[in-house]
Amino acid sequence: MLRFGVRGRSVCVENLEKCLETVGCYRESSGTSRIFNVNSKHTIPKSRSRCLIDSETRSNGAEGRCALSTTTTPTSEPRKTCLYDLHVKNNGKIVNFSGWLLPVQYQDAIAASHLHTRTFASLFDVGHMMQTQVFGKDAGEFLESLTTSDLRKLGNGCATLAVFTNENGGILDDLIITKDSEHKYFVVSNAGRRKEDSQLLLQQQENFRVLGKSVTLEFLDPLDQGLIALQGPTAASVLQTIMQTDLKKLRFMNSVETVVLGRPIRISRCGYTGEDGFEISMPAHVAHSLVQMILDTPDTKLAGLGARDSLRLEAGLCLYGHDIDEKITPVEAGLTWLVAKRRREEANFPGAEKILLQIKSGVKKKRVGLSIVHGPPAREGACILTPEGERVGKITSGGPSPTLGRSIAMGYVPSELAHYGGGVLVEVRGKTYKATVTKMPFVKTNYYTAK
């Protein structure tokens, strides 16, 4: 299969779970941009806007509706990140995404930006994401009471993918928790769940206070604290040119706090593309200067939400509100590995009874990857059918893969149809096309394990 200009990878792992085990984070082992309101008639062309980007509430629309649709009401005032002016200056095509004014792309086509990220490095503004500091002597217990994670065994400076779950085992949000120390954690969660996550954290904080426990929350304002993602094979060499910290010592899902431009910043080796890369949290007043320093390096470009989505789809990563939501459990989503061994034994996390039963007895449906060699892309909402034509599921994310040169998708099917290599049908505009159940990620990951 042709790979359009994508360099060979020196470090590849099959999925995020294996890579987390490998790195051993655990102790046991030129003009003004036009603003498009995507709920209005004046949307960007379908060829550019048909993408599922970042996190928001699932829409109930018809097959193929673009997930750019905002969850805000028409009268809501959209918010800006601290880098909004930079996007305008660089001719970013700004959309109102879940109440945030963000670039869906720049002058390059989304596919071109996608391939640039796979070949060199791209910089994404992810400052709309929710950044939260959690500290106090009971901070670890506090976060464990809301998630399925084992934070006791997480080493200082290490991060883990986690999920908030409800009492029925459903996923309330997916997030990354970084452990700075026994009493201090840094949490990044989805922008589209900011209100729900804030309420969840504040309510549990009050519950802990009633019990005499100490937990302090600090929600960082996106206008005061920026967050960017530098992703791609050359990301490390690019970032190394502007800081003294030895990035060769910073492995995947590890984080370090350092000083750049005289200000403290946090560098976490992670991302949402499947490539090696970093998320950088920094004070707003140095954000423009830091970003410009990065963009001044060769072969580094700005990228928007469109490329971010197609990259994460190739990496087989879930999009909240589409591939996972409060009615989907970690087991059904193929995220059983997020339920830590100790937490299974203690059975003291939200939804433990249902989740543990599913781990033991199995589930009726599973998230799978689908490869569609011939036919149009099967997008969110498209039906999945048995080879005999019975409708049994729906696509949750889908679109063309610029790297592979064919269409790919994710969706839920009955467990008996979830075996790799099996065949199903997908329905697009009234016609059915053959699809094959495929292992994910669709494109091998390039996470840095320092080996």
Side-chain angles (χ1 to χ4, degrees):
M1 186 62 62
L2 293 175
R3 301 168 79 86
F4 303 101
V6 179
R7 291 180 174 178
R9 285 152 166 77
S10 59
V11 181
C12 291
V13 294
E14 285 301 315
N15 55 43
L16 183 60
E17 176 186 6
K18 289 181 181 178
C19 195
L20 286 171
E21 293 173 352
T22 302
V23 299
C25 280
Y26 289 88
R27 293 174 183 168
E28 67 181 348
S29 43
S30 71
T32 301
S33 300
R34 181 179 177 186
I35 298 176
F36 299 90
N37 185 323
V38 295
N39 276 342
S40 74
K41 297 179 181 178
H42 305 291
T43 57
I44 58 180
K46 288 184 179 180
S47 60
R48 296 180 176 177
S49 67
R50 279 188 172 178
C51 46
L52 306 172
I53 26 187
D54 214 325
S55 165
E56 64 203 276
T57 303
R58 181 188 295 273
S59 65
N60 294 317
E63 169 197 325
R65 173 178 288 186
C66 179
L68 277 166
S69 58
T70 176
T71 59
T72 58
T73 63
T75 57
S76 298
E77 184 68 26
R79 299 190 66 184
K80 300 176 181 178
T81 69
C82 64
L83 292 173
Y84 173 79
D85 291 344
L86 180 138
H87 304 314
V88 173
K89 178 182 176 182
N90 286 275
N91 298 315
K93 291 181 172 63
I94 307 297
V95 298
N96 182 343
F97 169 66
S98 289
W100 293 86
L101 296 179
L102 293 166
V104 67
Q105 68 180 98
Y106 293 87
Q107 290 178 319
D108 289 343
I110 290 174
S113 184
H114 174 116
L115 292 172
H116 183 88
T117 309
R118 290 271 184 250
T119 309
F120 299 105
S122 296
L123 189 146
F124 303 81
D125 179 11
V126 291
H128 59 306
M129 303 288 280
M130 182 174 167
Q131 301 180 72
T132 307
Q133 298 272 13
V134 183
F135 47 95
K137 67 180 181 64
D138 299 302
E141 180 187 352
F142 169 81
L143 287 171
E144 281 197 354
S145 73
L146 299 171
T147 72
T148 61
S149 301
D150 184 349
L151 300 181
R152 293 181 194 172
K153 291 183 177 180
L154 190 66
N156 292 346
C158 289
T160 182
L161 181 64
V163 286
F164 288 142
T165 49
N166 61 25
E167 292 303 324
N168 198 39
I171 300 173
L172 295 173
D173 200 5
D174 60 306
L175 54 146
I176 291 181
I177 300 175
T178 301
K179 184 177 185 178
D180 293 330
S181 68
E182 291 293 334
H183 307 310
K184 182 183 177 185
Y185 296 82
F186 176 66
V187 179
V188 177
S189 53
N190 285 306
R193 299 291 288 177
R194 182 179 295 269
K195 179 180 178 181
E196 292 83 357
D197 289 353
S198 298
Q199 292 175 343
L200 179 68
L201 291 166
L202 289 169
Q203 181 59 60
Q204 191 69 340
Q205 180 191 42
E206 182 59 30
N207 295 340
F208 266 55
R209 283 178 174 172
V210 170
L211 297 174
K213 297 179 182 293
S214 175
V215 177
T216 301
L217 299 173
E218 181 183 0
F219 301 109
L220 305 183
D221 191 316
L223 287 179
D224 296 331
Q225 190 76 11
L227 186 67
I228 58 174
L230 179 64
Q231 301 283 294
T234 63
S237 59
V238 166
L239 194 57
Q240 191 66 80
T241 63
I242 65 173
M243 60 183 54
Q244 295 182 343
T245 301
D246 186 359
L247 297 178
K248 291 181 180 179
K249 297 179 180 180
L250 188 67
R251 295 179 296 175
F252 179 62
M253 296 303 283
N254 279 248
S255 181
V256 64
E257 294 180 282
T258 186
V259 175
V260 175
L261 298 174
R263 298 294 179 180
I265 69 169
R266 175 188 295 273
I267 303 171
S268 302
R269 199 155 200 163
C270 62
Y272 197 48
T273 65
E275 291 293 338
D276 183 24
F278 307 85
E279 289 189 356
I280 307 166
S281 178
M282 68 247 150
H285 52 270
V286 299
H288 278 260
S289 298
L290 179 58
V291 167
Q292 196 57 57
M293 290 170 66
I294 293 173
L295 293 177
D296 285 342
T297 60
D299 297 318
T300 305
K301 295 183 177 182
L302 287 165
L305 295 170
R308 178 174 163 86
D309 182 68
S310 56
L311 289 159
R312 71 92 194 167
L313 177 58
E314 288 186 345
L317 299 174
C318 292
L319 175 68
Y320 193 85
H322 299 264
D323 308 300
I324 52 176
D325 59 32
E326 58 189 37
K327 295 182 180 180
I328 299 292
T329 70
V331 185
E332 293 167 333
L335 300 174
T336 304
W337 59 280
L338 294 181
V339 187
K341 180 180 178 181
R342 175 176 65 84
R343 305 306 305 282
R344 298 185 195 189
E345 294 171 349
E346 296 176 353
N348 58 355
F349 54 86
E353 182 177 356
K354 181 173 181 177
I355 290 174
L356 294 177
L357 179 61
Q358 288 183 337
I359 292 175
K360 180 180 179 180
S361 304
V363 292
K364 294 181 180 180
K365 63 179 179 180
K366 291 183 178 180
R367 178 175 66 97
V368 297
L370 297 174
S371 179
I372 308 164
V373 177
H374 302 291
R379 303 185 184 277
E380 181 187 5
C383 287
I384 303 173
L385 303 84
T386 66
E388 294 74 31
E390 179 186 358
R391 295 184 179 185
V392 291
K394 286 192 175 183
I395 299 296
T396 55
S397 290
S401 165
T403 306
L404 300 174
R406 63 173 182 266
S407 294
I408 57 176
M410 292 190 291
Y412 286 83
V413 298
S415 296
E416 59 268 23
L417 292 177
H419 56 280
Y420 299 133
V424 294
L425 300 175
V426 294
E427 185 177 48
V428 182
R429 293 189 291 274
K431 295 183 179 181
T432 57
Y433 302 88
K434 292 182 179 180
T436 303
V437 177
T438 306
K439 286 186 177 182
M440 294 184 287
F442 297 97
V443 174
K444 286 187 177 181
T445 53
N446 194 28
Y447 302 130
Y448 178 72
T449 59
K451 285 190 175 182

